[in-house]
Amino acid sequence: MKLIQTAFKSRIASYRVHSENRYSDYNMFFESIKNKVIHLLSEVIKIHNAVKVIMELFGRYILQTQKIVNNKSFNTANKVIDSAADLNDVFYVFVDLMTTQMSEFEKRDSGWELQFIMYVEINLNKFCAFGGSSYIKLPSFIEKKKGIVNVHNQDQCCFLWAIISALHPVRERTLDVSSYPQFSTVVDIEGMTFPVNLRDISKFELRNNISINVHTLESNFENDKIVYRVVGPECGNSHYFWIKNLSRLVLSQISNSQHKKYFCDGCLLHFSNENLLFQHQQNDCNHLYTSIPSREIKKDKYGAYILEPNPHYSYTNRTFRHEPYSFAYLIKYSFNDSLSKFELYRGANAANVFVKKTENYLTRIYENYLKPIIPMEHLTREK
């Protein structure tokens, strides 16, 4: 690891991380530098508590048709990392962003081939958190949906005001703090720090015997406009608000219809009416769940680990076990069609029954037609 730039304006420092070996495989390269990167981020966060990080991946490419060699780079956007973040997860988020860009480049610019990955540059910038107020005005597009309550608080307790607005909803002045009871009289916040980190919400749930779902508002620039989507939670500190009507907020993401959807809080499946939702909650929801993608090793329904695709090795993932239920076959006699027979079977132990039937029938064919030795007729001179 090499320091290539020291503090300048908002920049804390820039580092260049090399692997001890030369790799052309993304996964092998990043695994070789993983511990270095995580250690660097950990040490910086100890000093600054929270930082903005940009990573840029550099690779050496060759255009075989013209014998041209060139360096290409692929960078990420700024990401805020604080002391509560899971640095292992953060590392792989950056890896996914850079390798996705790399793969798209190789597919888009036909002819360029990666010779080897050179290094990763990590730019560390200062992060200035919000001051006295944690209130954030949401995009007008989201506010017009009338699906959220975003209390105008002047402290770092937006999480608690979101909870209080849900527990004690009001019809008027829904955005004013004065419309709600003081959170200290409603919920137990002993031992909590503010702003609340995503990791601490589970403690709050246990202490207050309530269940909380957290979603993230994500923005992307697509087709010359900003597109907002509600996605899974991210690490780090966030601004919280109460999603009063999830259907209003996400309907455009899941359907072209304008009709209301009814969401199950347990698994996030949606239904067209309350009766279907009720039946699902009574009969199905305890037997299924919606899982958010993670980097944990997965197991299939048989308890075996699911292998990840690796271009260097063969692999097989067992996903289903099929039980034969039926079979059919036709035995055709070429010399006498009246002896031909069609056999059909449906039921249990189909494989065993098939083997036994075919063995028995082949035995009969052998005994009747192949085993008996029939003497040849004496041939005449004409024959």
Side-chain angles (χ1 to χ4, degrees):
M1 184 180 300
K2 180 182 179 182
L3 177 65
I4 60 175
Q5 184 179 344
T6 54
F8 176 74
K9 292 186 177 180
S10 62
R11 177 67 51 83
I12 297 173
S14 294
Y15 292 87
R16 183 170 294 171
V17 185
H18 295 266
S19 174
E20 295 179 358
N21 299 306
R22 181 175 289 186
Y23 295 105
S24 60
D25 180 87
Y26 311 145
N27 295 327
M28 295 177 69
F29 172 80
F30 282 112
E31 286 301 319
S32 70
I33 67 168
K34 174 183 172 181
N35 292 336
K36 295 180 183 178
V37 174
I38 291 179
H39 177 72
L40 170 64
L41 297 178
S42 176
E43 293 301 312
V44 172
I45 289 174
K46 286 180 182 178
I47 300 172
H48 297 277
N49 192 42
V51 293
K52 291 192 292 185
V53 180
I54 300 175
M55 292 192 189
E56 188 170 6
L57 176 65
F58 289 80
R60 178 71 57 82
Y61 281 82
I62 183 171
L63 190 60
Q64 294 284 5
T65 55
Q66 302 180 30
K67 301 300 180 183
I68 298 176
V69 176
N70 206 344
N71 298 338
K72 306 289 183 181
S73 66
F74 312 90
N75 66 298
T76 69
N78 262 316
K79 186 173 183 64
V80 177
I81 304 174
D82 62 17
S83 57
D86 186 325
L87 295 182
N88 189 71
D89 289 345
V90 168
F91 174 77
Y92 283 112
V93 168
F94 279 109
V95 169
D96 290 341
L97 291 172
M98 290 183 287
T99 54
T100 297
Q101 291 185 48
M102 209 174 207
S103 298
E104 290 175 352
F105 167 76
E106 293 172 358
K107 294 176 183 177
R108 182 177 66 250
D109 295 89
S110 178
W112 285 105
E113 295 182 12
L114 176 65
Q115 287 187 305
F116 61 90
I117 299 173
M118 300 167 63
Y119 50 81
V120 167
E121 285 190 359
I122 303 177
N123 299 315
L124 305 169
N125 301 299
K126 296 177 183 177
F127 172 66
C128 298
F130 302 111
S133 170
S134 68
Y135 166 74
I136 299 178
K137 182 176 176 61
L138 295 173
S140 58
F141 170 75
I142 299 297
E143 291 184 338
K144 288 178 181 178
K145 289 179 176 285
K146 305 295 184 183
I148 59 112
V149 174
N150 188 20
V151 179
H152 292 192
N153 59 300
Q154 299 297 317
D155 51 29
Q156 294 292 335
C157 301
C158 58
F159 171 79
L160 293 177
W161 290 116
I163 298 297
I164 300 304
S165 63
L167 295 177
H168 297 273
V170 296
R171 292 181 177 273
E172 299 178 350
R173 299 172 60 200
T174 58
L175 307 183
D176 294 344
V177 172
S178 59
S179 301
Y180 303 99
Q182 180 61 28
F183 49 76
S184 59
T185 64
V186 179
V187 293
D188 184 355
I189 59 174
E190 183 180 352
M192 296 192 66
T193 58
F194 300 92
V196 172
N197 188 271
L198 190 63
R199 282 179 158 188
D200 297 327
I201 293 179
S202 59
K203 302 174 185 176
F204 180 86
E205 290 177 307
L206 291 173
R207 190 176 290 274
N208 291 278
N209 194 30
I210 60 176
S211 177
I212 301 171
N213 289 338
V214 180
H215 308 280
T216 298
L217 186 62
E218 179 182 81
S219 64
N220 293 295
F221 194 75
E222 300 177 5
N223 301 321
D224 298 326
K225 64 179 181 180
I226 297 177
V227 178
Y228 293 94
R229 292 187 177 90
V230 176
V231 297
E234 293 184 352
C235 59
N237 292 332
S238 305
H239 173 63
Y240 297 91
F241 52 84
W242 172 38
I243 301 177
K244 182 179 180 179
N245 190 320
L246 186 59
S247 178
R248 284 178 175 268
L249 191 60
V250 304
L251 185 60
S252 60
Q253 292 180 217
I254 60 177
S255 173
N256 293 325
S257 170
Q258 299 300 315
H259 298 291
K260 180 179 179 180
K261 299 294 183 182
Y262 296 83
F263 285 83
C264 173
D265 291 332
C267 63
L268 294 182
L269 289 178
H270 56 83
F271 303 88
S272 58
N273 59 65
E274 286 186 283
N275 185 46
L276 291 176
L277 173 61
F278 178 77
Q279 293 180 14
H280 162 77
Q281 291 174 328
Q282 294 296 312
N283 304 313
D284 298 330
C285 194
N286 290 332
H287 306 288
L288 55 88
Y289 68 96
T290 300
S291 61
I292 297 175
S294 71
R295 290 192 171 273
E296 295 181 0
I297 300 178
K298 300 176 183 177
K299 291 184 179 180
D300 61 20
K301 59 185 177 182
Y302 308 109
Y305 288 109
I306 298 177
L307 301 175
E308 296 296 331
N310 188 322
H312 302 291
Y313 305 98
S314 62
Y315 66 95
T316 301
N317 286 334
R318 182 175 60 169
T319 56
F320 295 98
R321 181 171 60 194
H322 296 278
E323 294 287 345
Y325 176 75
S326 64
F327 65 84
Y329 61 80
L330 171 67
I331 297 178
K332 179 72 172 176
Y333 286 79
S334 60
F335 59 88
N336 187 349
D337 194 54
S338 64
L339 298 177
S340 299
K341 181 179 180 180
F342 175 76
E343 184 79 32
L344 172 66
Y345 175 83
R346 293 191 180 97
N349 301 318
N352 292 334
V353 174
F354 173 76
V355 172
K356 289 181 180 179
K357 281 183 173 290
T358 52
E359 283 182 344
N360 292 337
Y361 214 94
L362 291 173
T363 299
R364 290 203 300 271
I365 292 174
Y366 173 76
E367 294 289 343
N368 295 334
Y369 300 102
L370 301 179
K371 183 178 180 180
I373 300 176
I374 301 175
M376 290 184 62
E377 297 180 1
H378 292 288
L379 300 177
T380 64
R381 184 176 298 276
E382 289 76 13
K383 292 181 178 179

